[in-house]
Amino acid sequence: MSSEDYGYDYDLLFKIVLIGDSGVGKSNLLSRFTKNEFNMDSKSTIGVEFATRTLEIDGKRIKAQIWDTAGQERYRAITSAYYRGAVGALIVYDISKSSSYENCNHWLSELRENADDNVAVGLIGNKSDLAHLRAVPTEEAKTFAQENQLLFTETSALNSENVDKAFEELINTIYQKVSKHQMDLGESNANGNANGASAPNGPTISLTPTPNENKKGSANNCC
Amino acid sequence: MDNILKVPEIVTNIASFLSIADYLSFQQVNKQVYTIINGKNDSNYWSLKLTRMGLKRVYSNETKDVNLLNENDDDSPLCIFEVYKSFTSQESKRIFKKFYRCYSSYARKLYNNNLANFFPASYSDDPLKQTRILNSIKRYNFSNKNDMETFSRIDTNFNILREIFINSVLKETELNYQSNNLAAVARFMKILLTSNEESNAIEFFKSKADLPPTLTIIPSKDRLFWEEQTNESSGKAVVFNSKNLDEYFNQLRDFMNEKIKLADILFKDEFPVILQFIESFIQDVLLDILNNILLSYSEFLKANGKDCKANYECVPELYFTFIKKFDTELNNSVNAGPTFHKVVHDLLNLYLEPFVVNYMNQTTRVFESLICSQLANYDIQVQNKEREQNEKLYNSLKGQTDATSTDNTVSSNNQSTVAEISINAPDTDPKGKSISQLGHSTNISDDKLDFLSSFTKIFKFSNNENQKLKQQLQIAYNLNLISNNLQNIKSLISLDLCYKILHETSEKTDEIYKFHTIESLLPLIKLRCQEIFKILITQLNTNHVKPAFEKAITLLQKYNPNEIEQIEIKFDSLSPANTQVEPLVQFTELINIGDIILQMISIFYKNELIPKKIIDKNKDFLNDVIQLKKNFETSIDDFVAEGLNIGINKLMDEVSFVFKTMQLPDDYNPSLPSINSPIRDIKPTKCAVRVVELLSNHCFLLTGATDKGTIDVYQQEIGERFFNEIVKHLKKSFISTEGAIWLICDLNYFYDFIANKLKQKNVVPYFVGLKSIGQLYIISSKDSKELGKLISDLGKFNGIFTQEEIYEFVQRRSDWVRVRKDVEKVMYGLGIRDCCIM
């Protein structure tokens, strides 16, 4: 295996998951952000897809590794695998479809249940271009976001509106958290997701979980 | 005795046999007789005479001009038959009197055989009037038929007179013709025709229209025929030196035109002598000439080493030259009337038809052998070229052996030299210079000597080194041989040749079809044209396309991509990574060519055979031509299918080879990252990228080369087989929870290729299933129970996999030993270890 498989082109690597109901536009948000592409008749995602984009914050190159999920996954074991090691998440709903907004609560609790406590979360009302079909008032969503300490943006993957902003805000937040977390914890916490984040060059953050991760959920295996 | 004459029947009966003079005397015998043969019976006597002369008896004379009957002065023997054509019984005696007045003097002379000064002086200068009088006398004499003695005597003498008369007419005609007094000749011809002597007239004309014997001698072979039988400009087969042929026929044509003119002068439009003349000209002269030319052509062909039985090939050209020279280019004829040209055309057709039929029967065979030989020639060329290439290759490698074995000691760099050769050999320039520069400083003429000496040297120093070298050379040779053969697949079918043959078929069809003006031949023409088409297909199929495909398929079958790969690796080839199964690429080119040929044939069929009504699509759907065409298409389809099947096999061998050689163990089962170790990017593994590259290099080869249906089948087959390869590959891999990301990445990559590039909907579900399988591995070992539930849910995998298969997949988890118990508990209700003997 040659070295080109290994990314030396970043300082920090953040795993971010995209969650939300099926059909709210997660895949198009992602392709708009990473490839600046939009596919009018894209099919629903099967399983999980990956994409990356590198941003620069504070002179640090931050690689966002974004997991695009199907939104229909019934198996908790699989969803928990998706959330494992994520430092950020975007809960996406469709502003023209109230049910997708109502489900955000469910997505949030699933996220809280599976992901790291420090995970940064953004709420995204997608398809803002469909203003004439709007079913979810901006203010209501904004309030919901504030109550749950979520970032909030309304975006349109179709016309690119706010897409970069939404991702950048989230990544910024994660970066702040990581820096703070690092300051708070020093290098004492090896179990955290940001272990060794202080190293200036090379890959420093492992997002792959360590086997002896000690979290709630799957801890008790007895019958 | 006197009493007999009292019986009216006897009296009338006697009267009816009497000559005019006797009849008139008989009337006077006594009063009784007179009363009997008077009135009705008298007019009966005269009426019978008139009827015998050909006059018509009518019962009312209303239409008659009464004046005519009263005029008795002008009745001349020339026209009296024209004046009186019918009579009523009342006027029969009076009318007969008029005829009697005209002809009785001639009759008397004939009866007495007094022929001197037969015609009065007023007619002596006008033979035409004499002829008319003669004709009338003959007619008049029929009135004497009741008196046989008189009648036959007059008739005999009349015939003698007439013969003398005709002879003198002929003599006069001849004399006048000699002195070129054509007007007089024409007059005499009219006389002959008037006296019903047409045959004499024709004979005379023919005797004056004899063909000069020099004109029947055909030009010599060398002047008549071309040696090179194709015309460069038009590409058509040409038999005759048309300049010389025209020259020759122009003489004949001019002769004919002269005679047409003569006939017009002599006969005007009165008797179509020219048609008879032309018919006998065709029969006696043209057919002879035609036969001579055919014979001459046959000899000519023989002398030039060609098939002498192909001599009828000149018939079309000859036929149309005949039509042109002896119909189109003939002058109009007053004599033959306005339909002259059409009649002549029909005559020519009538007499030439047997030749045309022979030609058509012969030409299909000639055509078949022509095509057959062209295909065979091409085949030989290809074989020669191949042998030449192989020899060159072998010689060049041998030359290398020579060089290396002479400085045997320097064997350390042998391998690299051989490798160099193996790369250069296919591109050797025709004179083999580069090889001799590389290896030995001898020129090509010494190659054979070198080869032999090196050969002996190899035997002399047959130590291990040389053995090894020889083996390597053999491998290199074989490798190059294979790649050469692959290059040659394309040349197995020559599009140019097929095009040429098709063109020739079209020419031949046109040539035969030109005869469609001969209506009686239409069925035969159609039959022969169909036969030509059948020959085209059969020959193309059996002698060109079929062997080509068979050979290509054999080459495909022999091809072993892994072997070549290994050799390439061994020789460290400079060529970029081999991502093509070469024979499959070449084979698709062959498919493309095959498709073009099929299309050409279809176009020919649609544009030539259908419009010319050689084949009626609707009526003849069971026709063997259509069947043959279909069979040809099917056979190509079968070859394509077989070849593609083998090609796909090879492609899958290659895919499998890539999986085996390029997929590294830690691709899906990475070692745990240490703090300083770098993290791999989440992207498809090199192996997956290479596999997809390999596939995409082959999946679209057929696009445009064949019909959509075949392409779909081909691509779906590749998709399905690829899926099976992945499954096989997965069942051999070890996948850890960490490595699952890359597996998913690869599976996503494969899915992407199938769903978005290949776009074969039927196979997409398989790859959706694979995506679900990928998720089996990402699940944390802590969720082992959930894992068990998951694999029990077949719906999760779209029903693509069986429970057993999924169970097999889950066993490829690197932590299988740890999660097994929980999984089995969920699956079977209890783990295997929970079983105990009761």
Side-chain angles (χ1 to χ4, degrees):
Chain A
M1 193 182 292
S2 70
S3 59
E4 69 200 61
D5 282 347
Y6 298 89
Y8 287 106
D9 55 343
Y10 59 85
D11 302 310
L12 292 166
L13 182 67
F14 294 161
K15 172 176 170 180
I16 297 164
V17 287
L18 279 177
I19 50 179
D21 278 9
S22 182
V24 297
K26 297 186 289 297
S27 297
N28 269 322
L29 268 178
L30 180 59
S31 67
R32 177 62 82 193
F33 178 62
T34 56
K35 292 182 278 188
N36 201 18
E37 281 171 11
F38 183 86
N39 185 2
M40 197 52 106
D41 42 29
S42 62
K43 300 179 190 93
S44 62
T45 307
I46 302 152
V48 60
E49 308 246 358
F50 314 104
T52 57
R53 182 171 161 183
T54 308
L55 298 173
E56 196 159 317
I57 297 173
D58 278 0
K60 290 238 159 59
R61 280 162 302 160
I62 296 169
K63 189 166 196 167
Q65 182 193 85
I66 305 155
W67 293 41
D68 174 25
T69 65
Q72 294 168 314
E73 193 48 64
R74 285 172 295 137
Y75 284 92
R76 192 198 50 75
I78 294 175
T79 47
S80 94
Y82 293 163
Y83 295 125
R84 193 166 60 214
V87 290
L90 288 175
I91 302 173
V92 187
Y93 69 91
D94 177 353
I95 64 151
S96 66
K97 205 173 164 195
S98 52
S99 66
S100 70
Y101 171 71
E102 283 149 19
N103 278 337
C104 287
N105 237 331
H106 156 76
W107 287 111
L108 187 61
S109 57
E110 189 177 270
L111 177 70
R112 296 271 188 240
E113 194 180 323
N114 288 290
D116 189 281
D117 291 337
N118 282 323
V119 68
V121 187
L123 180 68
I124 292 193
N126 193 29
K127 307 196 188 178
S128 65
D129 48 290
L130 298 179
H132 54 295
L133 298 172
R134 178 183 286 278
V136 181
T138 314
E139 282 312 313
E140 188 186 329
K142 204 180 245 173
T143 316
F144 173 76
Q146 276 167 358
E147 282 168 4
N148 292 284
Q149 291 172 307
L150 311 176
L151 297 166
F152 175 70
T153 324
E154 278 191 352
T155 61
S156 165
L158 179 76
N159 59 29
S160 300
E161 195 190 356
N162 285 340
V163 175
D164 282 6
K165 177 177 168 253
F167 279 98
E168 279 160 13
E169 269 180 7
L170 180 76
I171 291 166
N172 238 319
T173 311
I174 300 167
Y175 178 72
Q176 301 306 330
K177 282 193 178 188
V178 167
S179 313
K180 193 171 160 242
H181 186 67
Q182 211 180 300
M183 301 246 273
D184 289 351
L185 301 174
E187 56 258 17
S188 60
N189 190 355
N191 292 342
N193 295 303
N195 51 347
S198 60
N201 274 320
T204 48
I205 296 183
S206 166
L207 292 166
T208 49
T210 48
N212 52 352
E213 187 180 6
N214 200 5
K215 282 268 176 273
K216 60 202 162 190
S218 57
N220 307 319
N221 269 355
C222 64
C223 356
Chain B
M1 185 67 189
D2 274 356
N3 292 339
I4 294 173
L5 293 177
K6 285 175 186 164
V7 183
E9 268 78 32
I10 296 175
V11 172
T12 47
N13 224 339
I14 292 170
S16 71
F17 287 104
L18 296 175
S19 67
I20 297 162
D22 292 344
Y23 176 76
L24 290 174
S25 305
F26 186 51
Q27 254 186 338
Q28 312 288 324
V29 169
N30 57 28
K31 184 144 195 240
Q32 244 174 347
V33 172
Y34 179 77
T35 39
I36 293 170
I37 44 171
N38 201 357
K40 198 181 155 219
N41 286 336
D42 184 44
S43 48
N44 271 351
Y45 177 82
W46 301 114
S47 295
L48 192 67
K49 279 197 180 293
L50 287 174
T51 320
R52 283 183 163 140
M53 278 157 58
L55 273 75
K56 212 175 150 198
R57 188 173 175 161
V58 293
Y59 294 97
S60 94
N61 59 352
E62 274 172 26
T63 51
K64 270 264 184 254
D65 188 353
V66 188
N67 289 332
L68 266 175
L69 288 170
N70 300 331
E71 274 175 50
N72 48 15
D73 312 315
D74 276 354
D75 292 338
S76 97
L78 284 172
C79 55
I80 188 163
F81 273 104
E82 296 300 309
V83 176
Y84 301 107
K85 287 178 172 167
S86 61
F87 64 95
T88 60
S89 57
Q90 292 97 323
E91 36 176 51
S92 58
K93 185 174 180 182
R94 224 150 40 98
I95 290 177
F96 186 76
K97 231 190 254 171
K98 287 176 193 288
F99 280 95
Y100 185 80
R101 197 176 293 142
C102 284
Y103 300 113
S104 64
S105 63
Y106 296 110
R108 210 175 304 121
K109 281 179 188 172
L110 285 169
Y111 187 81
N112 297 325
N113 203 13
N114 177 15
L115 301 182
N117 295 321
F118 186 78
F119 292 105
S122 55
Y123 298 143
S124 60
D125 278 349
D126 197 336
L128 185 60
K129 283 180 178 168
Q130 294 175 358
T131 316
R132 286 201 190 130
I133 292 173
L134 281 176
N135 285 347
S136 302
I137 292 172
K138 190 175 171 68
R139 208 171 157 187
Y140 169 76
N141 192 30
F142 285 119
S143 71
N144 290 324
K145 263 200 162 172
N146 61 333
D147 173 14
M148 272 319 278
E149 194 264 333
T150 311
F151 168 77
S152 53
R153 191 158 166 184
I154 291 175
D155 194 53
T156 315
N157 287 334
F158 172 82
N159 283 339
I160 295 166
L161 175 72
R162 190 170 172 275
E163 205 162 304
I164 295 167
F165 177 77
I166 295 291
N167 280 337
S168 67
V169 166
L170 288 173
K171 218 174 284 165
E172 289 279 321
T173 316
E174 185 65 40
L175 283 173
N176 276 305
Y177 185 79
Q178 304 274 312
S179 56
N180 209 17
N181 187 355
L182 291 180
V185 178
R187 246 188 350 260
F188 282 114
M189 284 300 134
K190 184 150 188 188
I191 291 164
L192 286 176
L193 294 178
T194 316
S195 52
N196 299 320
E197 289 291 331
E198 290 91 349
S199 59
N200 267 321
I202 292 166
E203 273 312 308
F204 173 78
F205 180 77
K206 276 189 183 167
S207 71
K208 296 308 150 204
D210 258 352
L211 192 64
T214 48
L215 284 186
T216 58
I217 300 165
I218 61 167
S220 71
K221 283 176 270 207
D222 301 329
R223 280 175 49 77
L224 207 50
F225 309 114
W226 291 116
E227 259 182 69
E228 201 53 57
Q229 292 190 350
T230 43
N231 186 339
E232 288 302 323
S233 55
S234 69
K236 280 187 181 172
V238 174
V239 174
F240 291 104
N241 182 332
S242 53
K243 192 172 142 270
N244 292 340
L245 190 75
D246 280 0
E247 214 169 78
Y248 171 62
F249 283 133
N250 282 347
Q251 295 173 350
L252 284 168
R253 178 203 60 199
D254 293 346
F255 170 80
M256 294 302 286
N257 275 335
E258 228 169 74
K259 297 307 152 194
I260 288 170
K261 208 167 128 199
L262 182 64
D264 279 357
I265 293 171
L266 297 188
F267 295 92
K268 301 190 182 65
D269 58 350
E270 277 168 14
F271 185 72
V273 63
I274 196 67
L275 288 180
Q276 293 198 29
F277 172 70
I278 285 179
E279 181 164 4
S280 66
F281 170 78
I282 294 170
Q283 229 175 330
D284 303 335
V285 182
L286 277 190
L287 292 192
D288 261 5
I289 290 175
L290 182 54
N291 274 320
N292 285 338
I293 289 179
L294 281 174
L295 202 67
S296 166
Y297 187 49
S298 172
E299 284 166 7
F300 176 79
L301 287 174
K302 205 171 177 182
N304 283 286
K306 286 173 189 148
D307 181 8
C308 64
K309 282 181 187 154
N311 57 343
Y312 273 84
E313 291 298 288
C314 68
V315 166
E317 221 180 320
L318 220 46
Y319 170 85
F320 289 103
T321 315
F322 278 179
I323 295 287
K324 187 174 161 221
K325 294 290 169 196
F326 303 116
D327 185 27
T328 322
E329 287 185 6
L330 287 188
N331 296 334
N332 287 330
S333 166
V334 177
N335 183 259
T339 57
F340 175 58
H341 287 288
K342 196 191 169 302
V343 174
V344 174
H345 200 282
D346 290 347
L347 281 175
L348 280 170
N349 279 352
L350 181 73
Y351 285 99
L352 294 178
E353 195 183 292
F355 291 88
V356 174
V357 169
N358 275 347
Y359 154 74
M360 285 201 273
N361 292 342
Q362 199 187 61
T363 199
T364 48
R365 190 185 53 77
V366 172
F367 176 73
E368 182 163 24
S369 63
L370 172 82
I371 288 201
C372 191
S373 71
Q374 284 186 52
L375 292 173
N377 276 345
Y378 181 79
D379 197 38
I380 291 168
Q381 270 178 30
V382 169
Q383 279 175 12
N384 283 346
K385 202 177 140 199
E386 201 173 297
R387 195 180 310 128
E388 221 171 83
Q389 273 182 349
N390 291 352
E391 257 167 36
K392 207 184 284 164
L393 190 67
Y394 198 69
N395 283 343
S396 64
L397 288 169
K398 278 299 172 192
Q400 189 56 33
T401 324
D402 187 26
T404 45
S405 55
T406 42
D407 39 54
N408 200 4
T409 44
V410 204
S411 59
S412 57
N413 58 358
N414 271 353
Q415 191 152 321
S416 62
T417 335
V418 171
E420 250 177 312
I421 285 183
S422 78
I423 293 151
N424 287 328
D427 311 314
T428 28
D429 62 350
K431 287 175 183 169
K433 255 186 204 159
S434 62
I435 293 301
S436 53
Q437 279 166 354
L438 257 177
H440 213 255
S441 58
T442 50
N443 59 36
I444 194 81
S445 59
D446 294 324
D447 268 4
K448 199 174 173 187
L449 204 67
D450 286 343
F451 166 69
L452 288 173
S453 62
S454 67
F455 209 67
T456 37
K457 273 174 191 162
I458 286 169
F459 282 111
K460 270 183 199 163
F461 301 94
S462 65
N463 54 26
N464 279 345
E465 286 289 344
N466 258 334
Q467 209 79 53
K468 208 170 133 194
L469 184 67
K470 246 176 86 187
Q471 274 174 4
Q472 282 166 346
L473 274 168
Q474 193 60 43
I475 292 167
Y477 173 70
N478 288 343
L479 170 66
N480 284 295
L481 205 60
I482 289 166
S483 76
N484 267 346
N485 282 341
L486 292 180
Q487 291 305 319
N488 289 342
I489 285 184
K490 264 188 287 184
S491 60
L492 287 175
I493 295 183
S494 161
L495 208 52
D496 285 347
L497 182 64
C498 290
Y499 176 75
K500 189 166 163 259
I501 285 175
L502 220 82
H503 188 69
E504 282 168 359
T505 311
S506 157
E507 298 264 313
K508 183 56 82 183
T509 311
D510 282 347
E511 195 180 280
I512 293 177
Y513 191 70
K514 265 188 188 167
F515 289 111
H516 75 284
T517 45
I518 312 177
E519 250 169 60
S520 59
L521 287 182
L522 262 182
L524 186 69
I525 291 172
K526 282 186 185 176
L527 196 71
R528 293 293 172 244
C529 287
Q530 290 184 6
E531 220 161 281
I532 293 289
F533 187 66
K534 281 194 276 185
I535 291 170
L536 165 80
I537 291 178
T538 316
Q539 286 293 329
L540 268 187
N541 191 9
T542 52
N543 290 337
H544 200 52
V545 175
K546 196 167 162 237
F549 269 104
E550 276 167 356
K551 190 162 183 198
I553 285 174
T554 324
L555 281 174
L556 257 177
Q557 237 150 3
K558 277 189 196 157
Y559 177 81
N560 181 353
N562 300 344
E563 201 172 84
I564 297 216
E565 194 105 352
Q566 278 159 353
I567 292 168
E568 269 180 350
I569 291 164
K570 196 164 159 191
F571 287 116
D572 195 18
S573 162
L574 297 172
S575 63
N578 182 27
T579 45
Q580 284 194 335
V581 179
E582 196 59 27
L584 189 53
V585 178
Q586 301 291 340
F587 190 77
T588 52
E589 299 230 11
L590 201 62
I591 293 173
N592 207 352
I593 295 173
D595 192 56
I596 292 172
I597 291 174
L598 278 184
Q599 283 182 21
M600 287 202 300
I601 287 178
S602 282
I603 289 169
F604 176 76
Y605 174 81
K606 272 184 209 144
N607 293 355
E608 298 276 323
L609 300 190
I610 300 288
K612 284 179 182 158
K613 299 203 170 112
I614 289 166
I615 287 177
D616 186 334
K617 240 193 326 198
N618 301 322
K619 273 192 207 153
D620 300 343
F621 70 98
L622 284 175
N623 185 299
D624 52 351
V625 173
I626 295 176
Q627 286 303 316
L628 204 63
K629 180 169 164 274
K630 272 191 190 142
N631 288 348
F632 182 48
E633 284 161 7
T634 325
S635 103
I636 288 193
D637 281 352
D638 289 348
F639 279 126
V640 168
E642 194 186 343
L644 288 183
N645 187 33
I646 298 170
I648 293 173
N649 282 342
K650 301 292 175 190
L651 177 61
M652 287 308 142
D653 289 351
E654 185 80 11
V655 167
S656 154
F657 182 77
V658 171
F659 272 140
K660 278 179 203 152
T661 52
M662 289 190 71
Q663 192 85 74
L664 302 174
D666 56 358
D667 271 355
Y668 299 149
N669 190 15
S671 47
L672 286 180
S674 65
I675 286 176
N676 287 323
S677 75
I679 294 163
R680 253 201 300 162
D681 263 0
I682 298 187
K683 62 177 189 187
T685 62
K686 263 189 164 182
C687 172
V689 173
R690 176 75 179 268
V691 164
V692 168
E693 191 187 350
L694 189 64
L695 288 173
S696 53
N697 278 342
H698 292 91
C699 283
F700 309 105
L701 286 175
L702 285 179
T703 312
T706 183
D707 60 306
K708 178 91 172 55
T710 313
I711 294 172
D712 284 348
V713 170
Y714 170 72
Q715 292 186 341
Q716 285 172 18
E717 179 73 11
I718 290 182
E720 278 176 40
R721 302 269 298 269
F722 176 47
F723 166 78
N724 288 331
E725 287 300 327
I726 298 171
V727 168
K728 257 196 277 174
H729 179 55
L730 274 186
K731 287 178 181 172
K732 282 182 205 143
S733 308
F734 260 113
I735 303 132
S736 65
T737 320
E738 295 75 33
I741 302 171
W742 285 280
L743 174 67
I744 291 172
C745 241
D746 282 359
L747 294 176
N748 283 350
Y749 192 59
F750 295 150
Y751 170 87
D752 198 49
F753 172 74
I754 297 292
N756 300 326
K757 289 225 179 87
L758 198 64
K759 288 181 180 156
Q760 287 298 340
K761 280 184 183 157
N762 292 354
V763 290
V764 171
Y766 294 116
F767 290 83
V768 174
L770 280 175
K771 274 192 164 200
S772 316
I773 293 295
Q775 293 179 327
L776 287 182
Y777 305 101
I778 203 172
I779 293 169
S780 157
S781 45
K782 280 174 273 174
D783 288 331
S784 51
K785 274 189 199 153
E786 187 105 0
L787 183 65
K789 267 189 237 162
L790 201 153
I791 62 175
S792 310
D793 179 7
L794 280 180
K796 167 85 188 156
F797 306 97
N798 285 359
I800 300 292
F801 302 101
T802 62
Q803 186 74 74
E804 289 73 21
E805 254 179 317
I806 296 165
Y807 187 63
E808 257 182 277
F809 281 125
V810 81
Q811 290 178 44
R812 304 317 300 171
R813 287 179 62 105
S814 57
D815 59 355
W816 175 240
V817 191
R818 259 184 289 157
V819 297
R820 179 179 178 172
K821 192 182 159 195
D822 288 333
V823 170
E824 283 178 348
K825 228 176 214 168
V826 177
M827 278 182 78
Y828 306 120
L830 62 163
I832 291 172
R833 280 180 216 165
D834 293 338
C835 293
C836 55
I837 301 162
M838 301 282 283

